[in-house]
Amino acid sequence: MGVGKSTVGRLLAEHLGLGYRDTDDDIVTEQGRAIAEIFVDEGEAAFRAIEKRAVHTALAEHEGVLALGGGAVLDADTRALLTGQRVVYLSMDVEEAVKRTGLNAARPLLAVNPRKQWRELMEARRHLYEEIATIVVPTDGRTPEEVTRQTLEALELKQA
């Protein structure tokens, strides 16, 4: 959350001459409401089922840069589909998250005690991100352009 996946994703797509797609945007368009509303109205389990379908559809249809929501990796089937793909994990620490989002935005999983919940989410997810990542790019204190440049360089090295 707030790591810059949309901004960096668009920059990567532009640099590579590819299309850009974000599964969170797909979900909002398909459902006709914000993700926070889905969480409130239907709960996390229902949202995760919607998210899983959106990710699987996007992976089947889209050949450009694809940004996934932070919880997409929780699903084992989704992780299996990402195996063998070039996956970039944009990382940051809680202090950077506070600077970027204030941890007070409409983020349903951070509604109460955001710092503690952010840390718990990262402890639960970090190993999953690292499991599927081709590369890990720290974003702390860096501009989107710097993150994009490092991502491109790291991906090129992984292909060599």
Side-chain angles (χ1 to χ4, degrees), residues 23-24 27-28 31 33-55 69-72 74 108-109 125:
T23 57
D24 284 351
I27 292 167
V28 169
Q31 295 292 310
R33 57 194 168 142
I35 289 172
E37 289 179 49
I38 299 168
F39 266 84
V40 170
D41 295 345
E42 299 177 40
E44 184 175 0
F47 172 76
R48 295 294 173 212
I50 294 166
E51 179 180 51
K52 178 179 179 174
R53 287 192 308 273
V55 171
L74 297 173
L109 292 178
R125 295 177 180 181

Side-chain angles (χ1 to χ4, degrees), residues 104-119:
N104 61 2
R107 305 207 184 261
L109 292 178
L110 301 177
V112 178
N113 195 346
R115 282 179 189 251
K116 179 178 182 253
Q117 288 180 308
W118 189 90
R119 282 189 180 101

Side-chain angles (χ1 to χ4, degrees), residues 100-146:
R100 291 187 189 185
T101 68
L103 294 182
N104 61 2
R107 305 207 184 261
L109 292 178
L110 301 177
V112 178
N113 195 346
R115 282 179 189 251
K116 179 178 182 253
Q117 288 180 308
W118 189 90
R119 282 189 180 101
E120 288 173 358
L121 280 175
M122 286 310 299
E123 286 172 17
R125 295 177 180 181
R126 183 174 285 113
H127 74 283
L128 299 174
Y129 296 150
E130 292 171 349
E131 172 187 315
I132 61 164
T134 307
I135 60 168
V136 178
V137 180
T139 64
D140 302 79
R142 302 171 76 201
T143 68
E145 292 77 15
E146 290 169 329

